[in-house]
Amino acid sequence: MKTIFEKSIRGRRAAKLPKSDVSCSEEIPEKFKRKEGVNLPEVAEIDVVRHYIHLSKKNFCVDANFYPLGSCTMKYNPKLGEEIARYEGFANLHPLLPQLHHGGMLTQGALEVIYNSERLFCKVTGMDEFSLQPLAGAHGELTGMLIVAAYHREKGNKKTKVLIPDSAHGTNPASAAIAGYKVVSIPSDKNGIMDIVEFKKSLDDEVAACMLTSPNTLGIFNPYVKEISELIHRIDGLMYYDGANLNALLGKCLPGDLGFDIVHLNLHKTFSTPHGGGGPGGGATGVCEKLRKFLPVSRVIKREDATYALDYEYSNSIGYIAPFYGNFLVILKAYAYILNLGGEGLKRVSENAVLNANYLLNKLKKCYEIPHPESCLHEFVISAKKQKQKGVSALDIAKRLIDFGFHPPTIYFPLIVEEAMMIEPTETESKETLDEFALAMIEIAKEVEENPDIIKESPQGLEISRLDEVKAAKELKLNG
Ligand SMILES: *Cc1c(COP(=O)(O)O)cnc(C)c1O
């Protein structure tokens, strides 16, 4: 197909702009003025529409197909959230509008949304206060680890290390390191959880915090979590909960009750705000009472006269973490999602997420190796080790799934499972969709035995088949 540049015909127009009534050309110094005309495609409106529609169709999205990308929680995002985020009073709000008095009536609603959302996130996590400013999960982790550092600095604690299991998301060690800590990686045991013996061996007075994901990236809940919290607190360390995927625990169990002091949530995973392509996201971060004063500024407060305002007066705060107040429309969509589902609805989210994952795990058991035989929570990891022996890798299987109309699962993560394929069906998929996916996976396992070449040549019929990912990373070319 021709590109929009190849379709360009001199003088063809999609729109006519009105003559500018602002004269500014004299004010632009000569040296900044363009010497030649700019090379833009000259096309009609229909060409523009077709260009963008074609582009949108090349994009694989959860609104079109099943997207079981483990740890990413690609659940369906209800359109209600989009509708509310489009309300003029929210979408067109300028962050510098006054909070009170003249014009304050324009911002009071938005401040109330933030204030109420923070209270709701406290309720679902058991934390005492939240900041919704962080713009992504990793950003919430960094906020949390800066709070860890601020806490120990204030107490005069000499702490140098953060303990993190080897199944953790790569952002965990990165965040701890950026906050100035040495990362100690704790191996997993044969059941896929952090090895409690190894953990105890690494525990000493220099440990500032332990970062845990629970259930972890294998979809397994750590039964020692309360004991771990107690041991960490005994040395005045802090417990950090990576709650990027709260899908398994929503409404069932509070991280605060498990002994966690800091929690981050990915609004763009669990709370159904769309993600992909780098954002925008939300990494809401909550803390227990003793860490409240370290939260970033600004904070939304409710005054005695029931008006809301942004407050900056916190001398122990770690300071600014995001411009203005985070991704407001993302917060708004998450708020709408929680209110729409209610407490009972949130419980059903986790029940169905866990049910769907276990259903699929059981269907795939026959054909793929399951490295950790226990039942899972919201996601699970299978291994294509058996298939690899026949020359077909997890990557090949992932590519072949595209031919069947499915987005590949996360592969080669967590790093502790050979030929890992990490599958998270989420609660929004029907039994029929899960059956179709299982059938495709079983069919591919059969092809490995009978016709592996077809897998090696997949995906077929797409504009681009397989990328040379190493070359793409080394010789990054973003145009043309
Ligand atoms: C996605 C994820 C993160 C990081 O979140 P981002 O928004 O991508 O920065 C951290 N931990 C876990 C377990 C995750 O799944």
Side-chain angles (χ1 to χ4, degrees), residues 16-33:
K16 243 193 207 150
L17 296 180
K19 232 183 161 45
S20 169
D21 57 359
V22 183
S23 134
C24 59
S25 63
E26 298 92 72
E27 282 145 38
I28 300 174
E30 206 46 47
K31 62 175 178 183
F32 292 128
K33 284 192 187 161

Side-chain angles (χ1 to χ4, degrees), residues 420-438:
M421 302 189 83
M422 184 192 212
I423 299 172
E424 182 181 7
T426 83
E427 75 284 0
T428 57
E429 298 299 331
S430 67
K431 176 177 174 295
E432 290 72 25
T433 302
L434 301 184
D435 286 340
E436 281 171 32
F437 178 76

Side-chain angles (χ1 to χ4, degrees), residues 71 136-138 141 169 171-172 213 217 242 244-245 264 266 268-269:
S71 203
E141 290 172 29
H169 201 275
T171 49
N172 289 190
T213 309
T217 57
D242 178 339
N245 320 105
H264 93 262
N266 276 25
H268 50 289
K269 290 180 183 169

Side-chain angles (χ1 to χ4, degrees), residues 357-460:
N358 279 286
Y359 180 73
L360 208 47
L361 171 65
N362 273 288
K363 290 230 152 196
L364 301 183
K365 243 180 195 163
K366 284 170 258 158
C367 304
Y368 295 89
E369 194 171 299
I370 312 292
H372 303 97
E374 282 189 46
S375 62
C376 63
L377 285 172
H378 66 297
E379 66 188 355
F380 60 91
V381 176
I382 62 173
S383 166
K385 223 163 110 185
K386 223 163 57 182
Q387 286 73 19
K388 181 73 196 234
Q389 283 161 9
K390 309 250 161 158
V392 176
S393 65
L395 176 76
D396 296 324
I397 296 170
K399 296 292 183 195
R400 181 65 176 145
L401 273 170
I402 300 172
D403 291 338
F404 285 85
F406 297 110
H407 194 283
T410 300
I411 51 173
Y412 300 110
F413 181 79
L415 307 173
I416 52 175
V417 173
E418 230 179 289
E419 297 297 313
M421 302 189 83
M422 184 192 212
I423 299 172
E424 182 181 7
T426 83
E427 75 284 0
T428 57
E429 298 299 331
S430 67
K431 176 177 174 295
E432 290 72 25
T433 302
L434 301 184
D435 286 340
E436 281 171 32
F437 178 76
L439 220 58
M441 286 294 285
I442 293 164
E443 180 65 28
I444 295 170
K446 246 190 248 157
E447 287 175 350
V448 173
E449 307 292 331
E450 294 160 9
N451 186 13
D453 286 349
I454 192 165
I455 306 176
K456 291 273 174 199
E457 285 153 20
S458 61
Q460 286 161 5

Side-chain angles (χ1 to χ4, degrees), residues 133 295-299 311-314 317 319-322 324:
Q133 295 211 25
L295 280 171
V297 286
S298 58
R299 307 252 297 273
D311 193 0
Y312 297 83
E313 304 302 317
Y314 297 90
S317 165
Y320 292 92
I321 199 85
F324 299 112

